[in-house]
Amino acid sequence: MRTRLRSAALLLAFTLVGAGLLGCDQGGTSPPMTAEEARRQIIESASGLQGAAATFEQTPLARLSEAMMTSGSEGRTVSPWGKALTSGLGAVLDTTGGNFNYDASTGVYVWNPDTQAWRQERPADSLILRFPESKGAPSNNATFTLSRYETQSVPILGPTEEVPTRVGASLSVDSTEVFALDLKDVSFMSIFGIPKSFSLDITADSHITADSLTYTTSLKDSQGRTYEFRDDLRNNGQLVTATTATVDLSPDDAEVEGTTQVGQDLAIRYTADVGTPSAFEDASADEISDRVSVDVLLQGNQVATLRYDGSAEQVIVAYTDGTTEPLSDLLREIGVPGGAS
């Protein structure tokens, strides 16, 4: 879980518009910054992402996730303890018709380690699960509460699926809330089932220290075809990343533009001239890349661009002094295991 969070956080700024669909719009600073200096400053500016990952590792949510996983020859898989907890829910929750029925599943359920099964302790207006924080915990000291759960029938590539539109959930350990999630204001395009608005707030706190991670994100349909996306990740109140993007889905001239700020100094600015959907049907990777521009800026000055190298089938970082390197190498230097792969 730690590796996946770190990778996801670090890749957020660099792959927002899609790995492999990156172009370049060559520019420069005055005077040009060397690739060595640019790399150093980019890595330093991205250190906040590692700090956020370290904060998450201290949270009970991370420890619980770690306890539910195990390492083996096939990589990370659900541990026997985690599998017993999750699979046992099937016996007490209502999934008639293949969908989770929240109203029919509410109640307080307690995990019995001796029988390796859940039992309903009493009825309730919410779904409440009490269980040990880890396999070795002496009691059911963790409580997961699903206080709100609403869905909407949405056509997704043909079949209709029940998609959550309002969710309120929290996790407490030793009676202290350490995780909260609030999803609301979700709406979809009537034909394709694509989200056109939503709002999501997540908080993860340390059980012992005052460390806290907060993440907020939203999508708003502002003019029928124009959408505004925002997100914000903070570690103890300090900005880690923030994105503001506008997506125009006009049928004759669709385009995307936005900026992802990483810490105080590093920013990724991107634009994509999508044109018409048919323009991409038979386009090559290089032709698609020509429609996309991604600039890397430090304190407002451009120090590099990202472009897709079709022959090498990888994203390249092109510094303003003419030096180039695979994006995967830079990400590996920042601390992503395996780079961008």
Side-chain angles (χ1 to χ4, degrees):
M1 179 67 185
R2 289 193 299 265
T3 298
R4 289 200 301 272
L5 174 73
R6 185 180 296 112
S7 298
L10 290 169
L11 284 170
L12 174 65
F14 294 96
T15 61
L16 187 65
V17 295
L21 298 179
L22 304 177
C24 73
D25 181 11
Q26 199 63 271
T29 60
S30 180
M33 182 180 292
T34 65
E36 181 179 358
E37 178 62 16
R39 290 181 89 256
R40 182 186 67 80
Q41 291 196 33
I42 289 171
I43 294 168
E44 289 178 356
S45 298
S47 62
L49 293 165
Q50 291 288 347
T55 296
F56 178 77
E57 291 171 1
Q58 300 172 7
T59 65
L61 179 63
R63 295 197 297 272
L64 174 61
S65 300
E66 183 70 18
M68 297 189 72
M69 304 299 292
T70 186
S71 298
S73 58
E74 298 181 355
R76 301 281 289 172
T77 58
V78 179
S79 67
W81 175 75
K83 186 175 295 184
L85 281 177
T86 54
S87 63
L89 287 172
V92 295
L93 301 184
D94 190 307
T95 56
T96 304
N99 294 313
F100 170 56
N101 188 330
Y102 173 72
D103 291 333
S105 299
T106 56
V108 179
Y109 300 90
V110 178
W111 175 252
N112 187 323
D114 296 328
T115 61
Q116 294 285 287
W118 295 91
R119 64 175 178 84
Q120 184 172 11
E121 185 176 69
R122 60 179 175 82
D125 294 333
S126 302
L127 172 60
I128 302 173
L129 306 176
R130 293 177 177 164
F131 56 96
E133 179 189 4
S134 64
K135 183 179 180 180
S139 64
N140 290 329
N141 64 329
T143 301
F144 172 78
T145 302
L146 186 61
S147 57
R148 183 178 67 249
Y149 189 83
E150 300 176 9
T151 65
Q152 178 180 333
S153 297
V154 179
I156 301 178
L157 299 178
T160 298
E161 302 286 347
E162 290 296 320
V163 181
T165 55
R166 288 178 60 85
V167 178
S170 65
L171 174 69
S172 297
V173 175
D174 297 328
S175 301
T176 300
E177 185 176 276
V178 295
F179 171 80
L181 180 151
D182 182 20
L183 173 68
K184 59 186 178 182
D185 301 329
V186 180
S187 63
F188 303 88
M189 294 184 182
S190 58
I191 300 178
F192 302 106
I194 300 173
K196 63 178 184 179
S197 69
F198 66 84
S199 175
L200 175 65
D201 298 313
I202 298 175
T203 302
D205 295 329
S206 170
H207 182 37
I208 300 175
T209 68
D211 293 332
S212 176
L213 282 174
T214 58
Y215 177 72
T216 63
T217 181
S218 65
L219 177 69
K220 294 183 179 179
D221 175 6
S222 60
Q223 297 177 3
R225 299 184 184 275
T226 302
Y227 299 86
E228 296 178 355
F229 173 81
R230 297 177 182 272
D231 75 358
D232 185 292
L233 174 64
R234 293 180 181 268
N235 184 11
N236 295 320
Q238 297 297 312
L239 177 67
V240 179
T241 65
T243 296
T244 301
T246 301
V247 181
D248 185 347
L249 297 182
S250 299
D252 298 327
D253 189 21
E255 60 182 7
V256 179
E257 62 178 15
T259 300
T260 295
Q261 183 74 32
V262 183
Q264 298 300 317
D265 297 330
L266 177 62
I268 315 299
R269 184 179 61 198
Y270 44 86
T271 60
D273 181 13
V274 180
T276 62
S278 60
F280 282 87
E281 291 180 357
D282 299 316
S284 65
D286 287 336
E287 288 173 333
I288 295 176
S289 180
D290 289 340
R291 291 177 172 268
V292 182
S293 171
V294 183
D295 300 325
V296 182
L297 300 91
L298 286 168
Q299 296 182 342
N301 297 316
Q302 183 179 333
V303 297
T305 59
L306 305 182
R307 60 179 173 81
Y308 180 70
D309 186 337
S311 60
E313 296 185 347
Q314 62 182 347
V315 180
I316 298 297
V317 183
Y319 297 97
T320 52
D321 69 355
T323 304
T324 63
E325 69 169 325
L327 174 60
S328 57
D329 288 353
L330 178 59
L331 291 177
R332 192 177 300 112
E333 192 75 19
I334 290 173
V336 180
S341 59

